[in-house]
Amino acid sequence: MSGRLDRRVTTVAEDLLRRKRVVAPLDVLTGLGWLGSRSVQSWELGREPQLDSLASVAPDRLAEALTLLHEWAAANGLLRSEVDYVAATRDRRALRFSRTGDPAVELAFRTQWTDPALTPERRAKLTQRQAKAPDLVVISSDKRWTCSLCGATGEFHFLEDDKPLCLDCADMGHLVYLPAGDAALTRRARKASGLAAVVARWSKSRKRFDRRGILVEQAALEAAEEQCLADGELRERRKARDRVRRAAQDVEFQAEFAEHIRVLFPGLATERALAIAEHAGTRSSGRVGRSAAGRAFDENAVTLAVVAAIRHEETDYDAMLMAGVPRATARERIRDDIDRVLARWRRPAT
Ligand SMILES: [Zn+2]
């Protein structure tokens, strides 16, 4: 029995080594047909407590295959490295492989093997790629969902501890959607954006999540478009997007909202107040400005819109989230900064 498994592991591992120059336990188990890519994706998204209960074989069988893999790698003089696996969740928590959490078992899953013929630079790059924190993932879904914090719904949601959050509650409400299709634009926008997320959608036919586009900061998208502007087609695209944006804006409502901001925060420049109101009041967004309270210009709703703007524009909040700082911790760290800016804006400009 073990002889047969030995041959199967060797075949899969040799194929991986030839194609990728690196052999990771996860790829071997997938290659053996014991783990589906759907299960692995779901685990990577932080939706499963551990990986081994998703396999089609028992944990001791998985352990047996990993032992055989390690023996094969050692016999072939491959170089070992340990890789940290982190979830594509806001807190970038370490992913757990086994129900028992036994350190030796976890280590076996995290150990990968590289071709000794690779230069040290190539090997470092391969290991780095594996160790890089995965992209934050936002789900585009046509199933009904409601935000676990505010009860809103919308086009995109973010999963935190397996509960859906609307983009506003996930502090991504200021990001704009860039559909996939223009690789250069996507790459530039992603690079220029402090906070960014990949939009994924479940494909029934392919039984996996497909990338549909990215969410980036509007300024980053515009900067990326500038860089691509040699291409006249993009000029047209931006015009079309501006038209859509203008159509979605309830100009009167925003002007009124800006007035209320200026009453509470006289230290804020008119232009800035308008920008905040415009963002808070964009139609079809579930942002605070469109809620019933925002409509009535409730003081609290107005302040919330201002706080959201401060968080993204005046603090390191987004950078902390990108670096994997949990949301609650990040919010705690910037609280004083927000209070300081609020106090400054409450005073009339001199
Ligand atoms: Zn929400």
Side-chain angles (χ1 to χ4, degrees):
M1 192 64 191
S2 154
R4 237 187 88 212
L5 181 57
D6 192 5
R7 274 197 302 281
R8 287 175 63 200
V9 168
T10 303
T11 307
V12 172
E14 279 172 350
D15 176 55
L16 284 169
L17 183 64
R18 199 171 47 243
R19 285 190 295 117
K20 296 182 154 183
R21 319 293 294 273
V22 55
V23 183
L26 268 193
D27 293 332
V28 172
L29 299 176
T30 310
L32 288 171
W34 289 355
L35 274 174
S37 56
R38 177 182 190 171
S39 305
V40 174
Q41 270 188 340
S42 172
W43 172 74
E44 284 171 342
L45 288 173
R47 302 164 92 165
E48 308 288 343
Q50 69 269 324
L51 188 68
D52 65 356
S53 31
L54 305 174
S56 59
V57 299
D60 55 350
R61 190 78 168 144
L62 295 175
E64 193 186 346
L66 293 192
T67 304
L68 290 167
L69 171 65
H70 291 196
E71 284 167 8
W72 167 85
N76 285 277
L78 302 195
L79 298 172
R80 60 169 295 174
S81 49
E82 287 166 26
V83 175
D84 292 324
Y85 285 80
V86 293
T89 50
R90 212 35 175 295
D91 59 3
R92 312 284 215 230
R93 60 175 171 268
L95 286 168
R96 185 162 157 172
F97 291 90
S98 61
R99 185 187 292 269
T100 61
D102 179 339
V105 176
E106 294 292 311
L107 180 61
F109 274 102
R110 290 197 296 109
T111 301
Q112 66 175 28
W113 306 88
T114 40
D115 189 338
L118 289 179
T119 62
E121 292 78 27
R122 267 298 300 283
R123 190 163 60 248
K125 218 176 228 171
L126 274 179
T127 313
Q128 238 169 40
R129 192 183 303 157
Q130 203 86 352
K132 180 173 136 285
D135 292 319
L136 292 169
V137 176
V138 163
I139 312 286
S140 154
S141 169
D142 48 16
K143 285 212 196 92
R144 285 177 62 88
W145 64 275
T146 51
C147 174
S148 62
L149 286 181
C150 74
T153 186
E155 196 179 356
F156 306 118
H157 65 271
F158 183 79
L159 284 171
E160 193 166 90
D161 297 326
D162 216 15
K163 294 196 194 82
L165 291 184
C166 72
L167 291 189
D168 290 312
C169 288
D171 298 323
M172 294 187 187
H174 62 304
L175 302 182
V176 294
Y177 179 50
L178 170 62
D182 185 323
L185 185 64
T186 296
R187 181 169 37 77
R188 286 167 167 158
R190 172 102 178 61
K191 200 170 164 216
S193 198
L195 183 64
V198 169
V199 173
R201 194 179 171 90
W202 179 254
S203 159
K204 278 189 203 113
S205 55
R206 302 176 63 189
K207 300 250 183 297
R208 51 163 292 147
F209 282 100
D210 287 334
R211 284 177 173 239
R212 285 308 180 92
I214 55 173
L215 291 172
V216 287
E217 290 157 3
Q218 177 141 338
L221 177 55
E222 281 167 8
E225 281 173 338
E226 289 298 338
Q227 293 172 327
C228 294
L229 264 185
D231 186 344
E233 199 187 306
L234 277 168
R235 215 182 282 272
E236 287 310 306
R237 187 214 299 265
R238 174 184 279 187
K239 269 193 213 144
R241 195 162 50 80
D242 282 349
R243 268 196 302 276
V244 171
R245 198 168 71 216
R246 270 196 301 275
Q249 286 168 353
D250 182 342
V251 176
E252 236 168 78
F253 168 79
Q254 284 163 11
E256 215 179 320
F257 199 108
E259 259 316 298
H260 282 79
I261 293 177
R262 290 272 293 152
V263 168
L264 285 175
F265 301 96
L268 201 50
T270 312
E271 222 170 75
R272 193 79 188 276
L274 249 175
I276 294 173
E278 207 172 286
H279 175 77
T282 302
R283 190 169 283 157
S284 89
S285 98
R287 289 185 196 107
V288 53
R290 304 295 306 184
S291 64
R295 275 238 162 263
F297 302 115
D298 168 66
E299 179 172 340
N300 189 45
V302 171
T303 306
L304 280 180
V306 173
V307 165
I310 295 175
R311 191 178 292 134
H312 296 301
E313 291 160 23
E314 307 278 331
T315 74
D316 295 331
Y317 184 68
D318 289 350
M320 281 192 266
L321 295 183
M322 281 305 272
V325 177
R327 213 153 53 89
T329 312
R331 286 199 166 207
E332 188 57 39
R333 281 193 204 157
I334 59 165
R335 202 156 64 185
D336 289 348
D337 292 338
I338 287 186
D339 288 345
R340 216 170 4 253
V341 178
L342 282 177
R344 194 171 77 226
W345 288 354
R346 279 200 175 103
R347 290 191 296 271
T350 45

